[in-house]
Amino acid sequence: MSEKHDSRYTMQDTGYGIKKIVHRASCIMHRFCLLFVSCFLLFIGCGGPSAPTLPAIHAQAIEYNQNAAKAAEKGDYEKALDYYMEALRINQSVENTGGIAINLINLAVIYQKQGNISEAEKLIDMVFLIPDINDSMKAEAAFEKARIFLKEKELSKAKEWVNKSLALNKGIREGSRWNLLGRIALVEGNYSEALTAANTALKLNSVNKQKTEEANSMRLIAEIRALTDKFEESREAYMKALEIDKESGDSKKIAVDLKGLGDIFLKYGRLQDAVNFYIRAYTVSRTDEDMEGASKAAESLADAYRKSGDDKKAEEILKTKMPLDKKK
Amino acid sequence: MKETDPRFVSLQKKVILFFAVAAIGIIGTLIFLGVERGAFTPKYRIHFTVEKGTGFFEGMPVKLSGFKIGKIETLSLDENARVKILLLLDKKYQKWIRQDSRAMLTKEGLIGEDVIDVTVGAQGKPVIEDGAVIPYEKSRGLDELVEEARPVIGEIKDIISYINDPDADIKQTLANLQMLSFELLITKENIDKLLKNTDVNITDVASSLSKVAKNIDSTVTDIDKTILKIEGKVSPAMDKLNKTMGNAEEATSSLKDAIEKSAPKLPRLLNKGEDALNETNEVVRSLKQVWPISSYIEEPKDSLLRGDSYE
């Protein structure tokens, strides 16, 4: 009897334990459900449109602008021009002055890449006719104007417009303005002024993390050093420029750096080194389908062979250069 | 021990009820799914045998007049290494599948999925019973049509290369013809010369004319011979070409039939695809608006191409 009583008591006790566990489990479940519902409501509350969406027409213009940028990056300038024109047309139809200015500048940049300087100049002049555009945009347009004047060898005007650009807005693009000033001074033959500008540009571009322009500063320094017979400094500067350009993956600039290195080695009579750099420059240009760059490298290579007394090889190289000139 | 806490009074019953409801729910769902998937629909099996099992797979839908009436249950090899295909069909469609019905492996449109198509049998014929055989008819898909066209293309290629071959009879015959025309030209020039001198010496002209006439005769005979030769060479080539063109025509019409059959489905398919894409775009666009995804997406803006100071 006593045993029976004991066992019943134990069973009841176990039943009570199970009830307790079930109760605790249901409490945890309740809490979890509450937490889930609260989180859900919180997320729903935070959801919905984050910011007012762009009007469809602006979004369309931006889409054209971005497609143009992609085409330009691939080197398809004709397509880029078409897209920028369409973006410009849409922006003009709603008188979006900011969009108009951006697309005019972009078109001018593409025309310059194609060598159509007069068209580029017309477009940049139109930017200055737009009312209510900010100084940063005006500074960019002034910089483009200076680049155009430099291409036209109108050095004083080019300098005047770079200075205008600097006066309007400095910002992170200040280094590029100094680079351009340095290049103008180099063309003028004023090496010390060019070097000062290049060094200023180098500092600014390094601080502002403008890699392409930093490489441009290094290349400019290398060119000035080469012209002032500082072989080792020139070589070092070219090597740094090459390193940055390789990081950026800019084939045209890589080829220019390699050719520059070839030029200084040729100047100092290290013909085999010069040949090696020219061959590298030629290979980069050829694989990038930059016929102009490849032709220049081939010409320099032929020159190097001729100077080393191998006229036959020089002739062979010049023969391979001819079809490149046709394709330019 | 008596339960004193009112929350635990009859808890055991509640737990049992909870599990019972859950079990009923699960069973109900299973039954519902079974009904939905036709697990409780009466079924029957028929089969056919093919040389190769390529293109067939277990679960492949079987269709009658475009409606799914069943699927391939199993694929197995018989004693002769042929593939036995067992179809599991809904019993309610048995009345349509009769002795003259045929099973065919076909594609739903040009780019549709592979299905077994069963044709509707004539009313007067007896129905195919459970476990019986349905005749299988090989249907020609695009691949077969292309395969058929391949030898035709090969033949055309052979003929073209034969015609283009400089050492081949046709080229040589043409060269001969060219030579003969050249000779004719010379003969014509001779006649012109003779005609000019007619008033000077008519007798000479007459004799020369007879010579020329002889020349012409022999040339014409040569031309005849050459033409006969050409005919002899060209005829078989032409026959071959005609035959090839006939084959090509046949293959093209089969291909045209296949395309015509599938063509009406293409716009629908394309529309469906476009709709699906639009809906997906909408969903993606809506998702982009929702926090926290929206905080990672930059608002699109015009990009400015920066002029390079070195360019």
Side-chain angles (χ1 to χ4, degrees), chain A residues 12-261:
Chain A
Q12 272 180 350
D13 203 28
T14 315
Y16 184 72
I18 291 168
K19 276 178 195 171
K20 241 182 143 180
I21 292 165
V22 170
H23 171 67
R24 289 203 74 177
S26 77
C27 281
I28 290 167
M29 282 296 286
H30 267 106
R31 278 174 196 169
F32 182 74
C33 285
L34 270 172
L35 184 71
F36 179 77
V37 169
S38 322
C39 286
F40 183 73
L41 288 172
L42 185 72
F43 274 74
I44 293 292
C46 296
S50 57
T53 47
L54 278 172
I57 196 147
H58 285 179
Q60 203 185 355
I62 290 170
E63 199 180 328
Y64 275 113
N65 171 285
Q66 288 175 345
N67 285 338
K70 278 177 202 160
E73 205 179 314
K74 284 180 192 162
D76 191 347
Y77 298 136
E78 283 305 320
K79 202 181 237 179
L81 282 178
D82 287 346
Y83 281 134
Y84 279 135
M85 286 288 187
E86 195 52 31
L88 179 66
R89 190 192 64 73
I90 296 169
N91 280 309
Q92 278 174 332
S93 74
V94 289
E95 217 189 17
N96 175 20
T97 49
I100 296 170
I102 286 177
N103 288 297
L104 280 172
I105 294 171
N106 291 348
L107 280 165
V109 171
I110 300 289
Y111 274 125
Q112 283 184 77
K113 281 181 193 287
Q114 287 189 319
N116 193 344
I117 305 297
S118 60
E119 203 59 37
E121 198 170 357
K122 274 184 217 164
L123 292 163
I124 288 299
D125 288 340
M126 282 163 75
V127 177
F128 292 105
L129 299 175
I130 304 169
D132 311 326
I133 56 162
N134 58 35
D135 282 350
S136 142
M137 203 64 74
K138 280 183 193 163
E140 206 60 44
F143 176 68
E144 287 308 316
K145 186 103 176 160
R147 288 207 309 139
I148 291 165
F149 278 130
L150 177 60
K151 285 188 178 96
E152 288 173 338
K153 305 280 179 221
E154 294 203 42
L155 302 181
S156 58
K157 280 184 182 172
K159 204 182 256 181
E160 183 192 325
W161 279 97
V162 186
N163 286 322
K164 270 186 193 175
S165 173
L166 277 168
L168 279 162
N169 181 273
K170 289 192 167 68
I172 57 162
R173 297 271 295 152
E174 194 186 349
S176 66
R177 281 50 165 166
W178 281 102
N179 267 341
L180 199 59
L181 275 175
R183 279 191 64 210
I184 296 165
L186 183 69
V187 177
E188 282 174 338
N190 193 343
Y191 300 145
S192 63
E193 193 185 317
L195 192 63
T196 311
N199 280 322
T200 311
L202 182 63
K203 273 180 207 157
L204 288 165
N205 288 323
S206 176
V207 170
N208 293 323
K209 295 191 170 60
Q210 298 289 300
K211 283 283 166 192
T212 310
E213 287 299 332
E214 193 183 337
N216 287 348
S217 307
M218 292 304 315
R219 200 178 309 105
L220 184 59
I221 291 169
E223 283 172 15
I224 300 162
R225 292 297 189 199
L227 287 166
T228 50
D229 294 329
K230 303 266 170 49
F231 170 78
E232 197 48 47
E233 283 157 323
S234 172
R235 192 193 65 83
E236 269 177 25
Y238 267 128
M239 290 306 279
K240 279 180 188 160
L242 180 65
E243 197 184 314
I244 300 168
D245 286 330
K246 277 189 177 179
E247 271 175 36
S248 316
D250 189 335
S251 300
K252 278 195 179 65
K253 297 282 179 63
I254 293 170
V256 169
D257 297 334
L258 289 168
K259 192 183 161 296
L261 280 161

